DNA sequence: ATGCCAAAAGGTATTTTTTCCTGTCCTCGA
DNA sequence: TCGAGGACAGGAAAAAATACCTTTTGGCAT
């Protein structure tokens, strides 16, 4: 959120990030060296003083920082661990039912016009996701030989999720979670020709959710 | 980057996002309805006028938007197609058949040990990919309601690929490409209960390959 | 065509932020 | 220790943004 307190904290954090004092940062940006003094963050009557957007633009440029970095400082209290620098991937998003209506695609099939949302692709949102490549036909029709499954060990799992399961005996399989209760886990096969399977919790080493699959 | 032009564009985009005019947005935020008039974005002497940081905080709060959303508008030119971020995402990759062998996962199910390759996730490497969200059950068992399909219009398409097709009559559908020959295209339904469909090339406006699906 | 209301252009007064300036304190090197 | 320069507090003037207000324009319904 954008608050008076957070904006000033971000300015302090940005200055520190570039080994500057608040007054040094102001000077570097071509502003008066007293511009960011703590003594000037509230006006005489106690009303919060907000630095102008123009001043913010100047300090971001003067430090060769970026708007993203500055926003991270706004959002993360200085004492907290700075969020990792990873950039979230965003692509335009549209509901399938709307896709047939006019105006969403140009003649060549590229997104066009208004009405597109943006969606972030979470596959790389954590440092711990990994990929498994399908081998064989046992997971048809869902997954074909060569398809790549992105698995996120930390993701929350609910009934109906597609998961990778490793048993204590060393078997690794991709299934749909039917039920997870105390002491037992029920899995539906991705291939309808294969039967449901049940395991006691003690037989399961870990369960991890499949979050994306290549096509 | 934070520039005068982009900040105003973001305000316009935010207003449009919430089906407001610029003056409606200002009013909603408790500001004067003329605050964001285009006529007031340059002062009389032509100097750029920057909206104050406090005003931005107010519009973000009044729309229940977020700083992240606002920054997206700052960075994405409104008139341009929303862009995918170009990143090379790499995750560890292992063949499914190897996954059961010892040494590839630690006790909690995270990748461990040697033998992992790295795979780049190509979907986000291009600027033209977009996402379609599945609605309804017509694409079961492959795609469930709410699943997100990443579509890459420029990707090469071969027999057996899962594709999105738009017909000249405006129908958009997800299918498996069975055959594409001169003058005709044959599509197998993702739902086995639905019949194959054939189109003349002239009936098809575009075909684009589905490259990833959420799970 | 007319009426109503919102959006937008335009102008002035008020408020808020920056700039300019001064003084004090702190740090560091000679 | 002393001096220089930077950091910081504080005050007044100048510049810039908002608030207030009016008029014009545009869109929509009747």
């Amino acid at each position: 959120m954008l608050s008076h307190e957070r904006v000033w904290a971000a300015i302090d954090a940005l200055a520190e990030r570039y080994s500057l004092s608040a007054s040094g940062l102001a000077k570097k940006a071509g502003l008066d060296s007293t511009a960011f003094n703590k003594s000037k963050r509230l006006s005489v009557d106690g009303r919060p003083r907000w630095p102008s957007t123009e001043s913010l633009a100047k300090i971001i440029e003067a430090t060769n920082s970026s708007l993203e970095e500055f926003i991270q400082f706004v959002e993360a209290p200085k004492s907290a661990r700075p969020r990792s620098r990873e950039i979230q991937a965003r692509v335009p998003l549209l509901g399938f039912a709307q896709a047939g209506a006019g105006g969403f695609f140009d003649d060549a099939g590229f997104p066009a016009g208004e009405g597109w949302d943006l969606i972030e692709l979470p596959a790389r949102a954590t440092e711990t996701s990994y990929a498994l490549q399908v081998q064989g036909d046992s997971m048809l029709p869902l997954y074909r030989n060569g398809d790549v499954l992105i698995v996120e060990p930390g993701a929350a799992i609910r009934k109906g999720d597609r998961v990778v399961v490793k048993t204590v005996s060393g078997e690794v399989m991709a299934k749909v979670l039917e039920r997870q209760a105390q002491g037992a886990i029920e899995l539906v096969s991705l291939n309808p020709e294969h039967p449901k399977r049940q395991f006691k919790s003690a037989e399961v080493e870990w369960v991890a959710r499949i979050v994306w699959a290549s096509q």
Side-chain angles (χ1 to χ4, degrees), chain A residues 95-109:
Chain A
F96 213 99
Q98 284 94 277
F104 291 112
F105 295 96
D106 64 21
D107 288 346

Side-chain angles (χ1 to χ4, degrees), chain A residues 133-147 149 171-175 188-195 197:
Chain A
Q133 187 158 38
V134 176
Q135 291 162 334
D137 294 329
S138 61
M139 302 179 216
L140 287 175
L142 214 53
Y143 303 133
R144 301 156 300 181
N145 186 48
D147 282 355
L149 311 179
E171 187 181 0
V172 175
M173 66 199 82
K175 300 287 178 183
V188 178
S189 182
L190 301 169
N191 183 333
E193 296 172 8
H194 292 193
R197 296 187 67 177

Side-chain angles (χ1 to χ4, degrees), chain A residues 79-102:
Chain A
S79 56
R81 185 178 187 84
R83 285 212 310 241
S84 77
R85 286 286 182 83
E86 69 195 19
I87 295 177
Q88 302 276 337
R90 297 187 181 97
V91 294
L93 171 68
L94 188 69
F96 213 99
Q98 284 94 277

Side-chain angles (χ1 to χ4, degrees), chain A residues 64-82:
Chain A
N64 277 310
S65 176
S66 68
L67 184 54
E68 285 84 2
E69 185 178 45
F70 186 76
I71 295 305
Q72 282 189 18
F73 292 135
V74 170
E75 295 183 335
K78 172 70 178 63
S79 56
R81 185 178 187 84

Side-chain angles (χ1 to χ4, degrees), chain A residues 15 23 30 103 119 121-122 137 163 173 180 195 214:
Chain A
S23 63
I119 183 171
L121 303 185
D137 294 329
V163 294
M173 66 199 82
Q180 189 168 17
S214 73

Side-chain angles (χ1 to χ4, degrees), chain A residues 20 24 26 36 40 47 89 97 105 113 143 153 162 165 167 175 181 201 213:
Chain A
L20 296 165
F36 301 143
K40 287 181 180 294
R47 193 183 175 288
F105 295 96
Y143 303 133
R162 294 163 179 163
V165 180
T167 61
K175 300 287 178 183
S201 295

